[in-house]
Amino acid sequence: MKKLLFFLCVTLTLSACKKEQDDITPRGTASEVAGTYELTTFRFQNKDDDLNIPKMPVIQQGKQTYFGSVELTEATDPDQAQMVLKLTLDNQAFDDIDFGEVDVEKSGTKFNLLSDGEKIGSISGSTLQFDIQTTDARMAFTAKR
């Protein structure tokens, strides 16, 4: 009888220690690239202008005069990111350039940024490279997280 009571107590104790399962939601690709990237290069060309800054930030007289950042935040779709460019050139802050929601697609060890199915950039490690061209203009930059 004592053996049966002991066995019953051990069984009840083990069944009371049931392991809870965590509700694991798979992370989207946007969460893997979300963050702030500081510009290291910037280029803008149109028919009238060609602004090429091969190394950023530019510091003049101890003060940053040319600098910028790109912010990627998760959108409602886990495979999309909201992309915003913040830019200051020659001490003049420009209005934020909101690229809207871009698709984030994992390709091996890097991520591609797509707009309407067209590749506009990529992220490899901590480096974001962006290049978009229209018939009238081109914007390209590199940024590091």
Side-chain angles (χ1 to χ4, degrees), residues 4 6 33 36 40 46 52 54 64 98-100 102 105-106 125:
L4 180 60
F6 175 74
V33 299
T36 301
T40 57
N46 64 18
N52 185 20
Q64 284 188 350
D98 188 347
F99 292 99
V102 296
E105 174 184 89
K106 191 165 188 170

Side-chain angles (χ1 to χ4, degrees), residues 21-142:
Q21 291 186 354
D22 294 333
D23 183 19
I24 299 173
T25 305
R27 290 176 38 178
T29 53
S31 66
E32 296 184 58
V33 299
T36 301
Y37 297 77
E38 300 298 325
L39 292 183
T40 57
T41 68
F42 182 80
R43 184 162 196 174
F44 178 78
Q45 296 171 292
N46 64 18
K47 63 180 180 169
D48 299 323
D49 298 306
D50 185 2
L51 174 64
N52 185 20
I53 306 168
K55 185 174 180 183
M56 290 181 81
V58 175
I59 300 173
Q60 296 173 332
Q61 299 174 345
K63 188 175 179 184
Q64 284 188 350
T65 55
Y66 292 80
F67 58 95
S69 64
V70 177
E71 291 191 19
L72 289 174
T73 55
E74 293 180 65
T76 48
D77 182 323
D79 294 326
Q80 289 185 328
Q82 186 73 28
M83 185 172 165
V84 177
L85 172 66
K86 299 173 184 276
L87 192 60
T88 299
L89 300 175
D90 202 18
N91 290 319
Q92 178 184 353
F94 289 84
D95 289 338
D96 292 351
I97 300 170
D98 188 347
F99 292 99
E101 293 180 351
V102 296
D103 295 320
V104 181
E105 174 184 89
K106 191 165 188 170
S107 176
T109 59
K110 74 177 191 174
F111 297 87
N112 292 321
L113 303 176
L114 306 153
S115 178
D116 296 325
E118 184 179 327
K119 183 177 173 184
I120 59 171
S122 65
I123 299 172
S124 181
S126 63
T127 302
L128 182 152
Q129 293 186 325
F130 178 88
D131 194 342
I132 189 167
Q133 190 166 349
T134 65
T135 55
D136 300 332
R138 176 182 181 217
M139 182 186 294
F141 55 78
T142 304

